[in-house]
Amino acid sequence: MSEVKLDDIVSLAKRRGFIFPSSEIYGGLAGVYDYGPLGVMLKHNIENLWWSSFVIAWDDMYPLDAAILMNKKVWEASGHATGFNDPLIECSNCHSRMRADHVESDKCPVCGKTSTLGKPKEFNMMFKTHIGPVTDDESISYLRPETAQGIFVNFKNVVETFSPDLPFGIAQIGKAFRNEISPREWLFRLRELEQMEIEYFVHPDKWEESFEEWRKGSLSFFEKLGLGSKKVHELEVPKEDRAHYSQRTIDFEYDFPFGRRELSGLAYRGDYDLNAHQKASGQNLEYSPKDGGKAFIPHVIEPSFGLDRAFLAVLAEAYSTDTQGGEQRVFLKLPADLAPIKVAVLPLVKNKPELTKKAKEVYKMLKDELGNVMWVDSGNIGKNYRKMDEIGTPYCVTIDFQTIDDDTVTIRHRDTTDQSRVDIKDILKKVI
Ligand code: GAP
């Protein structure tokens, strides 16, 4: 278990504009959060890392952005309409509803009464809606509970347009929705979440080697996220706990501040989904080998990453404290390529035009090169350094009176707080 407290992370994330409660001015909405300006930047950096690791770096990966709304027959065929359930129980005393598998005794965790919990009922977690003006059974649609089905129903399109060789993958990042009975632990269990998923289509004889390749690929992605290897664990999920479609699942767990929990999953879905859609749609979803061999339904390895959980793990891992000048300091030790702001430029004073002019030149040079550079000219320099530490900015470049004379600046490093004097022309070498 990590020593960092979730409350401290939530408070920093709110204070510094990473994560806000959804619809906050109306009291919020359980299980739903908004990404603020710095949160969006950090989230994009995590997505980009995933994209470059698993889409750009692979020769046989096809990106996709399928719609969230789909024909309801997709969810009937996939088994979600009947099988995507959690066990729900209700307390007859306080009428609270909760997930049966989250309750450890016959005592209601909300009101504390014993023997008031009813029998578990199956609760389908898909959000239902209606398409068009008529609200009847025909118009039912669902907000997708996983991005994966968008991939399966486009399998035929990708094969027909690109004629890929097996193995190949289809990758997408997108929103998914689950009507969780008890959303909890901030970004961990959400009702609106984002997934980064790959369906990797393989010959049935090759599934084991592909599964192993993706197991290693997942671990190396966590390393790139800066997650300590001692905090990432693999759990071989027993048959009785696996999703209805899976023949083998490894959950990658992380030591979150509230305990060891699932960070991402790797599943062997066999031919379950393509078979189910072939049967329900009447379309041929077989793959015909280019050597003229017999057509067959490929099997699927699915690495599925939750973006919000990755974001939470990255923040928990980066949250650090130390003592500087007798005061406690909080800083985010984010890997440089994930930090929302790469460098901050701080003119020491605002009212000296020569100094501001130099600072603007430095800012422009860094911005042209690095993109996410922040101009910070309000408040005192010590407080500004602390603010930049709290948002994980690796370097602060300070322009002071000496800069006007000799074209040198001070570069301060976030983790050590060490400062060095550097020529303007050498800043980039120092901060990249
Ligand atoms: N397509 C497979 C699938 O959806 P899953 O284990 O249900 O499998 C995959 O979800 C990942 O999505 C999880 O490992 C987790 O990272 C993320 N996830 C699932 N439910 C979530 C929720 N309610 N809130 C946040 N993330 C969630």
Side-chain angles (χ1 to χ4, degrees), residues 103-124:
V103 179
E104 276 152 17
S105 65
D106 71 340
K107 188 169 161 184
C108 171
V110 181
C111 69
K113 278 237 173 193
T114 44
S115 309
T116 53
L117 299 172
K119 284 218 163 62
K121 286 185 222 150
E122 290 297 315
F123 170 76
N124 192 285

Side-chain angles (χ1 to χ4, degrees), residues 146 178 180 188 190 195 197 262-264 302 304 306:
E146 60 168 8
R178 298 182 180 192
E180 295 282 353
F188 182 80
L190 295 168
Q195 293 184 316
E197 295 203 299
E262 179 186 335
L263 170 63
S264 83
E302 179 195 62
S304 174

